[in-house]
Amino acid sequence: MIRSYALAPLRGLLLALLAVVGLATSLPLMISIAAVVTYPAVLGTVRAMTGLSRRLAGDWGRTVVEPPYRTGTPPVPTQRMDGWYEHQGQLYKTPNYPRFFLRMEWLTEDPATGRDWMWLLLLGPLGALLALAGPALLVAGVLAVAGVNAAGRATAAAVGLPETALTWWGLLPDGPAWQTAAVGAAAAVTGLLAGPALLRMHGRWTRHWLGHASRSWWHTSGFGAWLSRGGHDTWKAMLLLGLSLTGFGVFLLTLLLTMVSGGFGIAWLAYATRPMVNHYRRLCATWGGIELPDPYRPREPVAGPDPDGRYRAGRTLYATRDGAHRAGFFPWILGDPATWRDLLWMATAPLVALAAAVPGVLLGIGYFGLFWQALFWPLWAAPLGLIADVWINPWYMWQLVTLGIPAAAAVPGWVSVPIGLAAGLLGVLLAGPVLRLITGYARLLLAPGRSARLAHRVEHLAQTRADAVDAQSAELRRIERDLHDGAQARLVAVGLSLGAVEQLMDRDPEAARALLAQARQTSAAALSDLRDLVRGIHPPVLAERGLADAVRALALDAALPVQVHADLAGHPPAPIATAAYFAVAEALANAARHAGARRVGVDIRHAGGQLRVTVTDDGRGGADPARGSGLTGLRRRLATFDGTLALHSPLGGPTVLTLEIPCALSSPGTATC
């Protein structure tokens, strides 16, 4: 008991020191994020600092703060059958790039990451005031008692403590020495006795912000959401600035290699930087709500050999196919307009992306104006006289350095509070437009040109047509096989049984009746096979009741509980409804056979000209389209209608399968499906 009271002031000072260290290091850490490659290391450092705050809250504040981070580990890159690694439609020879991007996305998508940053920048220093209150009262009381006797004043002068510090921060009025000593002693005793309680309050403050997400006003109010969104937009703009600066460095290296090796340097570097530029496209598309598909032309394969056995690449003949393939690399890269648009973006993007510094600087000014100047300077730095006022106030610094105004003419310190508030709010207000400016410029330069879009569209149509023809041929072969092995064989058996009945009718009526009963059973089985075949081609309930009721009927026959929620104001076209129906059937079958799920949810809705179907199961996760043909077949089927299929299945679940098909709904009274 006595030990806890004695150590409480020292622990409070250490907690305040930890908050100051976190504040001092958070800004350099945020700036280092612009280098992009340091992003995981920076977040690791941030988590280590907030983890220390959680441990101290448990040890000193007697408050258990469980880490709120996502469980599990970042997903691993997917290796295809051909040995390449795939990430967001991009292929990589080694898993290094995909592993880095997956880890960065994993850390960024964790909601606790933003709360860690908020703790270091704002909430930790604010909470440190609780822990600092006890030591401040104790020190102030001791100084007040020391100031009423000559020995105390001599000791203060010997250690260099200012005379004003002995008047209890200047808060006590002039009066008898015994009154000052009594108040000082009371303050010291109060600070000593309140130490453990203040540490527990600090621990609860830490648990509220660094524990699992709570429904505080910050999470529920519109103002808190607006501030959070502005901070996230500022961070996103700074990250895009870092990527654009990296691209500018590559552009300078390209110029150097061009002077040394001619166009060969441009070709190799332009090809090597395509993954980075594609990642920039994906970030802009996700954060800016725009479409930035891959604009690069596909490489044409080497044609077959000429009659003399040689291979042609341009105007040159090569003895081997590999030689012709290597020779076609430079014309393919340098002849692609997207290559030159990438280089133009590398050269000019930093000029636009530097706008990200505007909200970042304004938020920094607002932070220092509001919290550093308004809290730390008035409460303990300047009153003690330990640091000169001119070096604490950032507004004084700005005036002295840029305008040359003498310190006596500088504005009072309290002016920094309204100025900081206005600067911070202006930074939050400008964060969204700045992010849209950066992503809009990326769309201007990095989006596919008209010829590239037409080429991709032609390639897409040719591929989907080939897939549709293959799927139709496979469906016809399946129907032929089912008819041959099922209904056809049973009908042949019925015919043979009827022939035997004709022969036995006169001489053995009992045997004839038995054969007739057997023929009737065989014909019923053949009819059941035909019904199953028809249901596999196009379910009757889909044509009679529509997509929503057809999926509900499918859920009733599923091997596990399925909850269906549908919000459709009409009926999608019949081919689209059929594709969506079979996609749900495939997803339910996978959940029952492979995922080990206990329940499945199906959500069907139409919004923004898109039919969206989401299937969620609580299984083990880890689904990989590359390991099976079912999801690949579904993706090809949906591509015929310009539809997309997205799968999110981390290890441990849940698995979410989302398909979107552009279509218009007919009126509810019109039977279109």
Side-chain angles (χ1 to χ4, degrees), residues 224-236:
W226 179 72
L227 289 178
S228 178
R229 184 168 57 252
H232 280 84
D233 288 346
T234 303
W235 170 82
K236 293 172 183 176

Side-chain angles (χ1 to χ4, degrees), residues 11 52-64 199:
R11 290 172 175 175
L52 178 60
S53 299
R54 295 185 185 92
R55 288 194 298 273
L56 293 181
D59 296 339
W60 295 350
R62 298 179 182 178
T63 304
V64 178
L199 289 179

Side-chain angles (χ1 to χ4, degrees), residues 164-179:
T164 56
L166 298 180
T167 61
W168 197 25
W169 293 4
L171 299 179
L172 290 179
D174 295 334
W178 66 267
Q179 182 180 1

Side-chain angles (χ1 to χ4, degrees), residues 549-559 562 581-582 584-586 588:
D549 288 339
V551 172
R552 291 190 180 98
L554 189 65
L556 294 176
D557 297 333
V562 179
Y581 173 86
F582 283 110
V584 174
E586 179 72 20
L588 295 181

Side-chain angles (χ1 to χ4, degrees), residues 583 586-587 613-616 631 634 645-648 655-659:
E586 179 72 20
V613 180
T614 305
V615 182
T616 306
L631 294 177
L634 287 180
L645 185 145
L647 177 66
H648 180 71
T655 296
V656 181
L657 180 71
T658 304
L659 60 94

Side-chain angles (χ1 to χ4, degrees), residues 494-549:
V494 170
L496 294 176
S497 298
L498 292 177
V501 167
E502 291 179 349
Q503 298 177 4
L504 295 174
M505 185 65 71
D506 296 332
R507 51 191 178 86
D508 194 351
E510 293 298 329
R513 278 194 294 269
L515 287 176
L516 283 175
Q518 183 180 357
R520 184 171 61 251
Q521 294 176 357
T522 305
S523 65
L527 181 60
S528 177
D529 290 343
L530 289 175
R531 286 174 177 172
D532 293 340
L533 182 61
V534 170
R535 189 178 296 111
I537 299 173
H538 188 80
V541 66
L542 188 62
E544 297 170 0
R545 303 294 300 275
L547 176 61
D549 288 339

Side-chain angles (χ1 to χ4, degrees), residues 100-159:
F100 174 80
F101 292 140
L102 288 171
R103 178 169 174 78
M104 188 167 67
E105 293 167 3
W106 170 269
L107 294 173
T108 302
E109 293 173 358
D110 192 343
T113 298
R115 297 168 65 198
D116 283 354
W117 280 111
M118 187 62 66
W119 174 263
L120 291 181
L121 288 171
L122 174 60
L123 303 174
L126 287 179
L129 296 178
L130 292 172
L132 192 63
L137 288 173
L138 179 62
V139 172
V142 171
L143 291 177
V145 173
V148 300
N149 60 80
R153 293 180 181 273
T155 303
V159 298

Side-chain angles (χ1 to χ4, degrees), residues 330-353:
F330 296 101
W332 168 53
I333 294 294
L334 300 179
D336 191 346
T339 298
W340 305 102
R341 294 166 70 91
D342 285 356
L343 292 174
L344 180 60
W345 170 80
M346 293 179 189
T348 60
L351 300 177
V352 178

